[in-house]
Amino acid sequence: MRSNRALRENELIPDQVLLPFRGIADFFVRCLAALSEARLGDVGVTLVDTGTPDAEVARMAGFCKDLGLDLTLVRGTGREIFDRKYLLPAWGGVPRRVIMLNSDTIPTPGFAQRLLGALDLDPKRKFASAVSTTPLDIIIHRAGFEDGSETTLLERVYRYHQQRQARYAGQVTDCAFANMTCAALDWAAWAEVAPGETPFDYGHHYDLHIGNLLRDAGYTLGVCEDCAVYHIGHATFRQVEFEQLYDNLLGRTLQYIDRWGHLPEHFALMHEMLYTSERFPH
């Protein structure tokens, strides 16, 4: 596992999956195991620690070694997954694209190549997401995932993914909003529209904010209909005290409405998100 190295800003490095890490939960271990089977090819994996004790980091490193995953680790307190000044020294160069991946997901085989390929197909498209199994991901949720006990969860996830591959091969749908549950993002466009700090934290409307900035700059967002990811939804939030979570979400929601709520579709989205969270509480 690698950490900081000499930074060469003009040196191009492989595209990277960015995975937040907040302790060794079962869902996180499952996500790492799925990544090891996901046929990443040349795509690297960067774990962005959000305040994990050293002993757990060491355990995680040993687990990754057993899986054969070659990872870069970025240590921090929480915001660093979306702060390029922390990521670049760890890499020693600059990737063309990154893939944001929630740690409570099960990525499917070939997901990285599919999402990155969607960016290559259209020079104006700077963001491409997989579809999600959970209704909590309003923007990218698609029906059809079977929830049951007759087969393993992994078998159901892979079957759902294969069904969508067969039915929607090559299809990318334009999207008005960004969801970073499992999504590829062009690095240069990201740096262009958000060169400095933002008021939004990971999981608290940052993806929506960046997507809006990309669209304002003339870029497009897409959803790969033939690429699925299983997402628990709110699993990471369960590791945070409810009062802290509530204060963070409420504060970020009000900030988002203050920044984007003058447009009716954004105000309507916030209402739908709150309604959906009530129907599927964390």
Side-chain angles (χ1 to χ4, degrees):
M1 182 172 295
R2 298 181 298 271
S3 54
N4 286 11
R5 68 199 69 187
L7 172 61
R8 301 180 182 88
E9 294 189 8
N10 295 324
E11 181 176 329
L12 198 63
I13 66 168
D15 298 324
Q16 296 289 315
V17 174
L18 294 183
L19 184 66
F21 171 51
R22 190 187 181 93
I24 303 179
D26 289 344
F27 62 79
F28 175 75
V29 172
R30 185 174 61 192
C31 181
L32 285 177
L35 273 177
S36 71
E37 302 292 334
R39 302 195 300 267
L40 292 176
D42 293 333
V43 178
V45 179
T46 297
L47 292 186
V48 185
D49 167 48
T50 57
T52 304
D54 291 344
E56 286 205 40
V57 172
R59 284 180 55 212
M60 181 273 301
F63 179 71
C64 292
K65 183 178 180 181
D66 291 342
L67 287 173
L69 285 172
D70 185 20
L71 304 176
T72 298
L73 176 66
V74 177
R75 301 295 302 272
T77 59
R79 292 183 57 89
E80 290 77 8
I81 189 168
F82 289 138
D83 194 332
R84 288 178 298 277
K85 72 174 179 286
Y86 286 92
L87 297 172
L88 291 174
W91 290 332
V94 180
R96 285 181 56 216
R97 292 87 52 95
V98 292
I99 297 176
M100 305 296 189
L101 181 66
N102 280 18
S103 57
D104 61 338
T105 60
I106 298 178
T108 47
F111 82 99
Q113 288 77 10
R114 178 65 186 104
L115 297 179
L116 296 171
L119 299 185
D120 291 333
L121 288 174
D122 184 349
K124 290 186 65 178
R125 184 183 299 132
K126 301 300 182 183
F127 182 94
S129 170
V131 305
S132 169
T133 59
T134 176
L136 290 168
D137 293 322
I138 298 169
I139 302 159
I140 60 173
H141 172 245
R142 302 291 187 269
F145 177 70
E146 301 173 8
D147 191 9
S149 58
E150 74 285 355
T151 57
T152 68
L153 174 61
L154 193 62
E155 288 173 330
R156 297 198 303 276
V157 172
Y158 283 5
R159 182 167 64 236
Y160 176 66
H161 175 63
Q162 290 163 357
Q163 289 169 345
R164 295 202 64 87
Q165 282 184 312
R167 185 171 182 179
Y168 300 103
Q171 183 174 327
V172 181
T173 304
D174 287 338
C175 187
F177 303 104
N179 179 302
M180 290 182 179
T181 296
C182 177
L185 174 62
D186 182 272
W187 179 273
W190 181 21
E192 173 192 339
V193 301
E197 295 284 337
T198 81
F200 302 100
D201 289 331
Y202 174 67
H204 296 150
H205 307 329
Y206 184 91
D207 46 3
L208 295 171
H209 178 65
I210 294 300
N212 297 339
L213 293 175
L214 288 170
R215 290 179 62 217
D216 278 359
Y219 300 123
T220 62
L221 321 174
V223 179
C224 296
E225 301 291 346
D226 57 354
C227 182
V229 62
Y230 174 81
H231 184 205
I232 299 175
H234 288 174
T236 307
F237 289 165
R238 294 188 187 117
Q239 298 173 300
V240 180
E241 292 293 332
F242 178 79
E243 291 78 8
Q244 178 186 347
L245 171 62
Y246 181 82
D247 289 344
N248 286 345
L249 284 175
L250 179 61
R252 298 299 180 262
T253 298
L254 293 175
Q255 285 180 313
Y256 185 86
I257 291 175
D258 183 60
R259 175 65 176 83
W260 299 102
H262 61 288
L263 301 172
E265 64 268 27
H266 296 284
F267 195 87
L269 176 66
M270 291 296 100
H271 180 272
E272 187 176 1
M273 288 176 66
L274 290 172
Y275 173 72
T276 303
S277 292
E278 290 175 356
R279 290 180 58 214
F280 302 95
H282 83 286

